[in-house]
């Protein structure tokens, strides 16, 4: 199917529907998020992704997991000419009453894998900041690494990658890593959530060895 054919098909279907759903994830790094609709979307088996530019009257960092939103789902044509479902005109209906987060020592962590890593970092007697929002003034952006770690006066970042980290998100992740390296935080290492759950001691040991080597 060519782009022109797909566009005509999309125009002829005029498929556009207003829906309500719950925000399931916010990704500030690539300025996007995901919504779980209250009712299934025909032709879509996963939660649709949205871009921050499609918000109405609010900023992306004002949204959080569990917030209820109203949005419009419509057919669109991707850059490869494929018909996709596009989320537009997102507006906030209500804030989440409870956040699906894990508490550990007074910190809010995002997963059991992060808890395992936090426990190992504590055993290693290092300074670490879990899910700490930082401001990169030169880029005028906020970022929130999973763990900022200080060991022997050296700073590094340990990221726990869940299933939402894919080949498609890797470009944005590499750009995020370059931001930190410009500020001489050279050790930015990513580990899968599975390895953090099953072998947290090995993950932390490997990370700290890299950090001490610089």
């Amino acid at each position: 199917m060519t782009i022109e054919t797909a566009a005509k098909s999309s125009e002829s279907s005029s498929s556009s529907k207003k829906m309500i759903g719950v925000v399931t994830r916010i990704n500030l790094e690539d300025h996007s998020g995901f919504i779980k609709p209250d009712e299934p979307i025909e032709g879509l088996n996963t939660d649709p992704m949205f871009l921050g530019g499609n918000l109405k009257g609010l900023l992306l960092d004002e949204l959080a997991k569990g917030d209820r939103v109203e949005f419009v789902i419509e057919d669109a044509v991707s850059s490869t000419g494929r018909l996709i479902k596009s989320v537009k005109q997102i507006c906030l209906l209500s804030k989440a009453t409870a956040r699906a987060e894990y508490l550990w020592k007074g910190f809010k962590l995002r997963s059991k894998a992060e808890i395992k890593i936090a426990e190992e970092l504590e055993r290693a007697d290092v300074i670490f900041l879990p899910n700490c929002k930082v401001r990169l003034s030169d880029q005028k952006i906020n970022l929130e690494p999973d763990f900022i770690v200080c060991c022997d006066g050296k700073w590094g970042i340990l990221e726990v990658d869940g299933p939402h980290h894919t080949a498609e998100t890797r470009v944005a992740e590499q750009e995020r890593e370059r931001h930190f390296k410009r500020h001489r935080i050279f050790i930015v290492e990513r580990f899968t959530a599975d390895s953090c759950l099953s072998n947290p001691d090995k993950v932390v040991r490997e990370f700290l060895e890299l950090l001490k080597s610089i």
Side-chain angles (χ1 to χ4, degrees):
M1 178 183 290
T2 66
I3 293 178
E4 291 78 9
T5 303
K8 289 178 181 178
S9 174
S10 178
E11 290 171 0
S12 63
S13 65
S14 299
S15 178
S16 178
K17 184 179 181 181
K18 186 173 287 188
M19 305 188 72
I20 292 174
V22 176
V23 175
T24 56
R25 180 167 179 81
I26 297 293
N27 191 331
L28 294 176
E29 293 81 58
D30 61 10
H31 210 55
S32 67
F34 292 85
I35 299 172
K36 182 177 182 60
D38 286 356
E39 58 183 277
I41 299 174
E42 184 176 355
L44 192 65
N45 297 321
T46 59
D47 294 346
M49 185 181 79
F50 66 90
L51 299 177
N54 288 317
L55 301 176
K56 290 178 62 178
L58 72 159
L59 301 174
L60 186 63
D61 59 8
E62 293 176 315
L63 276 181
K65 181 177 179 180
D67 289 348
R68 288 189 64 76
V69 293
E70 183 182 77
F71 62 99
V72 172
I73 188 84
E74 61 183 32
D75 289 337
V77 182
S78 72
S79 58
T80 60
R82 187 167 55 90
L83 280 174
I84 60 174
K85 296 293 184 181
S86 178
V87 176
K88 305 285 187 182
Q89 303 177 38
I90 305 156
C91 61
L92 179 65
L93 294 179
S94 62
K95 297 295 293 181
T97 55
R99 301 291 170 84
E101 294 174 318
Y102 298 84
L103 290 177
W104 180 84
K105 308 292 185 183
F107 292 99
K108 292 181 179 179
L109 304 183
R110 303 186 186 100
S111 66
K112 294 180 180 178
E114 287 191 2
I115 291 177
K116 290 287 187 180
I117 294 301
E119 291 171 345
E120 288 301 324
L121 288 170
E122 181 158 270
R123 291 189 186 99
D125 293 329
V126 298
I127 296 173
F128 63 99
L129 295 80
N131 296 328
C132 179
K133 184 177 287 189
V134 299
R135 179 68 175 173
L136 297 182
S137 300
D138 59 331
Q139 301 295 318
K140 304 296 186 291
I141 58 173
N142 297 335
L143 294 176
E144 193 173 316
D146 293 339
F147 294 95
I148 301 175
V149 182
C150 179
C151 180
D152 295 337
K154 300 173 181 179
W155 292 86
I157 290 172
L158 191 160
E159 298 279 14
V160 179
D161 285 357
H164 56 278
H165 291 273
T166 64
E168 289 74 20
T169 65
R170 186 58 189 137
V171 173
E173 290 166 353
Q174 288 174 328
E175 179 60 24
R176 165 193 171 109
E177 292 159 13
R178 282 192 290 271
H179 289 325
F180 288 114
K181 289 176 181 178
R182 292 188 189 104
H183 290 273
R184 303 184 65 80
I185 299 179
F186 296 116
I187 301 299
V188 183
E189 295 296 321
R190 316 190 77 89
F191 299 88
T192 66
D194 287 343
S195 63
C196 292
L197 272 173
S198 58
N199 292 295
D201 54 335
K202 180 180 178 182
V203 167
V204 170
R205 184 170 63 251
E206 181 181 339
F207 173 80
L208 294 179
E209 286 174 355
L210 289 169
L211 189 55
K212 292 175 182 178
S213 70
I214 61 173

